[in-house]
Amino acid sequence: NAGVTQTPKFQVLKTGQSMTLQCAQDMNHNSMYWYRQDPGMGLRLIYYSASEGTTDKGEVPNGYNVSRLNKREFSLRLESAAPSQTSVYFCASKTGYEQYFGPGTRLTVT
Amino acid sequence: RKEVEQDPGPFNVPEGATVAFNCTYSNSASQSFFWYRQDCRKEPKLLMSVYSSGNEDGRFTAQLNRASQYISLLIRDSKLSDSATYLCVVNLRTGSSASKIIFGSGTRLSIRP
């Protein structure tokens, strides 16, 4: 039981490049989330998916798209990366009230 | 005003000390409350839920004060391994079946030998 896994762990992009962050969970949870964490700002919700086939915007969705591929997988795409998207990205899944987080992706956009 | 506010710290206390953090929330409709722990460069993990009656887990005690809209975390007999950032989390009901999870920006705790 791996919990929540994320790939890649680290990534450096140039401005304007695109990439997809992958997330998978093996706990059979319906709800999945993407957050970004910046110093002094806490975790901010980018997008979430309450169940397979549904996605909704969170607090800071601009510049991102998501896909809930199936119950296990929830990916986050940056179509045209900007330096403001330099951050640590966490994926999470939820059962009841407890969220389980992946180990994070550290993204730097130059 | 932020929906969930925490003193960022850092709190720097000696091993064995008792330390307490508070967290305030702005929406009185907030329903459930949690403390998460986040180690440096790691993901957040649930430390404990916070109930109206208060709850204790070993050296950790969490309290909720709905009238004043704050929650607290008390750590007794602190250990070096307690050094981490503690995140206050509030779950707010936004609809009949929808809710919003709001994270505070965290309080950093450093325990010195």
Side-chain angles (χ1 to χ4, degrees), chain A residues 6 10 33 35 37 40-45 48 59 88 90 94 97-104 106, chain B residues 2 31-32 34 36 38 40-46 87 89 91 93 98-99 101-106:
Chain A
Q6 289 183 238
F10 301 93
Y33 303 79
Y35 292 93
Q37 187 174 37
M41 307 231 15
L43 284 151
R44 291 184 292 168
L45 182 64
Y48 67 99
E59 183 185 353
V88 180
F90 288 104
K94 185 162 82 80
Y97 286 121
E98 181 172 358
Q99 285 192 309
Y100 295 82
F101 287 84
R106 295 184 177 277
Chain B
K2 286 185 182 177
Q31 285 198 307
S32 49
F34 309 89
Y36 276 70
Q38 186 173 23
C40 188
R41 302 179 77 83
K42 298 283 191 181
E43 71 272 24
K45 291 184 180 176
L46 180 66
L87 306 175
V89 181
N91 195 71
R93 177 74 75 190
S99 63
I101 303 168
I102 307 162
F103 284 79
S105 53

Side-chain angles (χ1 to χ4, degrees), chain A:
Chain A
N1 190 335
V4 180
T5 56
Q6 289 183 238
T7 55
K9 285 192 166 51
F10 301 93
Q11 184 71 48
V12 179
L13 291 178
K14 292 189 186 324
T15 297
Q17 287 185 316
S18 62
M19 78 161 295
T20 299
L21 281 63
Q22 307 286 354
C23 173
Q25 51 96 6
D26 61 3
M27 297 175 283
N28 204 36
H29 293 165
N30 285 321
S31 301
M32 296 186 74
Y33 303 79
W34 275 106
Y35 292 93
R36 61 178 287 172
Q37 187 174 37
D38 302 292
M41 307 231 15
L43 284 151
R44 291 184 292 168
L45 182 64
I46 305 171
Y47 271 93
Y48 67 99
S49 171
S51 61
E52 185 180 350
T54 69
T55 60
D56 285 287
K57 294 179 181 178
E59 183 185 353
V60 288
N62 291 346
Y64 305 95
N65 283 301
V66 289
S67 295
R68 184 75 182 267
L69 303 167
N70 46 54
K71 193 169 187 179
R72 288 188 67 246
E73 298 171 288
F74 188 37
S75 62
L76 178 72
R77 183 158 179 84
L78 286 70
E79 291 292 352
S80 179
S84 61
Q85 294 178 305
T86 292
S87 189
V88 180
Y89 291 85
F90 288 104
C91 176
S93 67
K94 185 162 82 80
T95 180
Y97 286 121
E98 181 172 358
Q99 285 192 309
Y100 295 82
F101 287 84
T105 296
R106 295 184 177 277
L107 175 67
T108 301
V109 183
T110 61

